[in-house]
Amino acid sequence: MSARECSACGDEENWPLCNLYSLTKGQQAIRELAGAMSDRTGNLPPLPAVFPDYPAPIVRNQAKGRELTMARWGMPSPAFALKGKKSDPGVTNVRNVKSPHWRRWLGIENRCIVPYTSFSKNEALLDGTHPPVWFAFDETRPLAFFAGIWTRWTSVRKVKEGETTNDIFAFLTTDANKEVGAIHPKAMPVILTAREEIDLWMTAPAEEALTLQRPLPDDALVIVARGNRRDEGGLALTPDANGDTILIDAEQLDQDASA
């Protein structure tokens, strides 16, 4: 994401955003904690690395109740960020909810929650590298949710795809707590941990729901991994029909993300 897009989200320029997270808990756990009445994700595999513009599960409000479905990560960019560009991969993190660009999607019909088990921030090292640092509630990577927004949008996300219509999402950010701030001083995702918080975000008027745009308490998170572009620590690997451990092709995930 460019500095202009970063600034549009409300973060300071030149600070890497939360553009990588993992989800290694199953559909049943997501449905139960989120109160989802329907599931359109099919056979959802573990996702040890979710990258921008790739599909990932969200839970959104629908006429018959909450629905677990897939959407591409990245909401429409503000017009100024698209000048001179032929495509819009989208904005992944939203900070400035007072902006008219984002206010139109703060209604209940456009709010969603984004399941995750860990998220990463890039650490700025003295040698100029920015390796990922992964945060979770503990080493078991319990399920939680980002407070998000979604919409259905027609645009050119990739030039090679041409114009497409997609369900897309982003999640809100806020000030960093102590643990995240030691790595990324400017921001962390807005995280919902309890059913009461989930229900508030999904059902309350916008002014009330936005009281959830606050950092987690200090000491709520721990660092669970460093250096890798995926976090497989929360995976519950099971044997296949031959009794062998099922492994995820993590190298292919990296290759896909770089394509």
Side-chain angles (χ1 to χ4, degrees), residues 20 46 51 72 116 133 145 154-155 161 211 213 228 244 256:
L20 179 61
F51 296 97
R72 288 172 75 163
Y116 86 96
V133 176
F145 294 87
T154 300
S155 64
E161 289 182 353
T211 62
Q213 192 181 20
N228 292 323
D244 297 322
D256 289 346

Side-chain angles (χ1 to χ4, degrees), residues 11 25 29 32 53 80-81 93 133 162 204 206:
D11 262 328
K25 297 295 187 272
E32 289 178 353
D53 199 34
F80 75 83
N93 300 173
V133 176

Side-chain angles (χ1 to χ4, degrees), residues 59-62 66 103-112 148-150 199-206 209:
V59 177
R60 62 187 178 185
N61 291 317
Q62 294 289 276
R66 293 176 193 168
R103 282 206 306 264
R104 57 181 142 170
W105 293 308
L106 292 177
I108 292 171
E109 67 278 7
N110 286 107
R111 283 185 230 149
C112 67
I149 55 176
W150 78 278
D199 290 344
L200 179 63
W201 178 248
M202 296 293 279
T203 64

Side-chain angles (χ1 to χ4, degrees), residues 94-99 102-108 110-112 147-149 170-175 190-192 196-215:
V94 175
R95 180 74 173 267
N96 181 16
V97 293
K98 294 181 179 179
S99 165
W102 301 120
R103 282 206 306 264
R104 57 181 142 170
W105 293 308
L106 292 177
I108 292 171
N110 286 107
R111 283 185 230 149
C112 67
I149 55 176
F171 50 76
L172 273 59
T173 61
T174 185
D175 295 333
V190 174
I191 294 172
L192 312 176
E196 293 78 12
E197 294 176 340
I198 292 169
D199 290 344
L200 179 63
W201 178 248
M202 296 293 279
T203 64
E207 183 176 358
E208 184 179 357
L210 287 170
T211 62
L212 294 167
Q213 192 181 20
R214 76 290 182 257

Side-chain angles (χ1 to χ4, degrees), residues 20 120-123 130-134 223 225-230 254:
L20 179 61
S120 77
K121 291 288 188 177
N122 292 90
E123 183 177 19
H130 295 81
V133 176
W134 291 88
I223 293 174
R226 289 178 180 267
N228 292 323
R229 295 179 65 202
R230 55 194 177 272
D254 277 354

